[in-house]
Amino acid sequence: MKTFFTTISAAAMLAALAACSPAEDTADDAAMTEDAVLSGDTGSDTAAMTEEAAAPEPAPLTLAERLANADRPDGDVELDAMRHPAEILAFAGLEPGWHVADLGAGGGYYSRVLSAAVGAEGHVHSQNYDWIVERYPNVVNAMDALEAGHSNVTTHVTSDTAPLDGMETPLDAVFIVLLYHDVVLEEGEDLAAMNQAIYDGLRPGGVYVIIDHAARDGSGLEDLESLHRIDEAFVRQQVEAAGFELQGEADILANADDDRTLNVFDPAIRRQTDRFVLVYRKPE
């Protein structure tokens, strides 16, 4: 392990079709073939050109196809139906080749998703806060396995005030999924410093994606400790204070049947909570 837009309806990113080459002039083709025969040329160049024209490059895979083709644990795949990762990444505008950070990665579900999405040309910095590793030592083994099994993933353990420490910046995106409330809950954590460090570590136009369990509107931090939920308005206020601009909010993980009064670990609502999805952008 190394040192430690405007709301839109979500849909999976559509793959761009490869453009067809314009048809070659048939008279020129005939003349080229005749010249080759008369000169004794085997026609290898012409054959190569014909073969190339007949076999256009395949269309790039969609995000959903990238995830479907990735070697991911069965447990991860089962969670996809509740977490909708392909839709989330499409909404965030993620592209192959991006360099991203997954903060508070835990066992690595989202890090594995991001690894498949950014591909070999991209990179994922899978991070856990020092207090997570101290509290859950098994996370260390998970991080080791994650890095060993993915050539485009590097793992990190950092403090809250320097969450991107050891990462090559600027980054294209930073994700914090179902953990923002835990950072707020952790005594002594400096959220202003964390958000500022994330802002500073993103390229102009880079995105900051926050997903969390929604508390009752206007409740502030009242349900933070008892229910592990956070008021979306509180998160917005903190993030915007760092200079971020809201790019979009989505209802991909919304659940109108969740009245937001149950603890997120209650079997009646676990993994089905009403969750907000915010995508912020560092101004150009």
Side-chain angles (χ1 to χ4, degrees):
M1 183 186 306
K2 296 181 177 64
T3 298
F4 308 143
F5 252 8
T6 312
T7 303
I8 62 173
S9 59
M13 181 182 296
L14 297 178
L17 296 177
C20 297
S21 302
E24 299 290 343
D25 187 286
T26 55
D28 285 348
D29 279 350
M32 182 185 299
T33 303
E34 183 177 356
D35 286 346
V37 171
L38 293 175
S39 66
D41 194 301
T42 59
S44 58
D45 290 343
T46 303
M49 292 176 62
T50 303
E51 182 178 351
E52 182 178 350
E57 292 184 7
L61 297 178
T62 64
L63 279 169
E65 289 169 337
R66 283 174 176 269
L67 295 187
N69 291 340
D71 183 13
R72 300 167 60 224
D74 292 342
D76 280 15
V77 176
E78 291 173 5
L79 291 174
D80 288 352
M82 293 167 278
R83 295 191 173 185
H84 302 282
E87 293 93 327
I88 295 292
L89 299 190
F91 181 71
L94 184 139
E95 298 179 9
W98 273 19
H99 287 227
V100 304
D102 177 22
L103 302 187
Y109 169 88
Y110 243 95
S111 292
R112 287 185 286 272
V113 165
L114 291 167
S115 173
V118 302
E121 299 303 315
H123 198 83
V124 179
H125 295 278
S126 181
Q127 178 264 20
N128 274 299
Y129 290 99
D130 46 17
W131 50 268
I132 294 178
V133 172
E134 292 169 7
R135 194 170 300 165
Y136 306 102
N138 60 315
V139 167
V140 174
N141 292 334
M143 294 175 72
D144 285 342
L146 178 66
E147 185 169 289
H150 299 78
S151 60
N152 65 347
V153 175
T154 303
T155 59
H156 307 263
V157 175
T158 76
S159 68
D160 67 301
T161 55
L164 308 185
D165 190 33
M167 303 181 193
E168 293 184 11
T169 56
L171 298 170
D172 297 294
V174 172
F175 288 74
I176 184 164
V177 181
L178 304 181
L179 196 92
Y180 196 98
H181 74 275
D182 282 309
V183 181
V184 178
L185 186 59
E186 191 67 18
E187 186 176 351
E189 296 302 286
D190 190 339
L191 269 294
M194 182 188 79
N195 285 323
Q196 190 62 56
I198 292 169
Y199 183 93
D200 293 341
L202 282 167
R203 64 167 169 79
V207 296
Y208 183 18
V209 182
I210 305 169
I211 301 171
D212 218 326
H213 306 284
R216 294 169 294 122
D217 292 340
S219 62
L221 302 182
E222 183 179 337
D223 298 331
L224 186 63
E225 185 169 7
S226 60
L227 305 183
H228 281 265
R229 295 174 180 267
I230 192 166
D231 188 353
E232 179 182 337
F234 176 84
V235 176
R236 286 175 178 251
Q237 181 182 31
Q238 286 199 322
V239 173
E240 290 167 14
F244 285 101
E245 298 176 348
L246 183 66
Q247 176 169 293
E249 54 186 315
D251 60 1
I252 301 168
L253 302 177
N255 181 5
D257 294 330
D258 176 15
D259 64 8
R260 309 181 190 178
T261 62
L262 294 177
N263 185 293
V264 300
F265 299 110
D266 188 306
I269 200 65
R270 188 176 186 186
R271 293 176 176 166
Q272 301 176 57
T273 56
D274 186 27
R275 288 153 285 170
F276 57 82
V277 179
L278 301 174
V279 177
Y280 277 93
R281 175 178 173 274
K282 180 176 178 176
E284 297 279 0

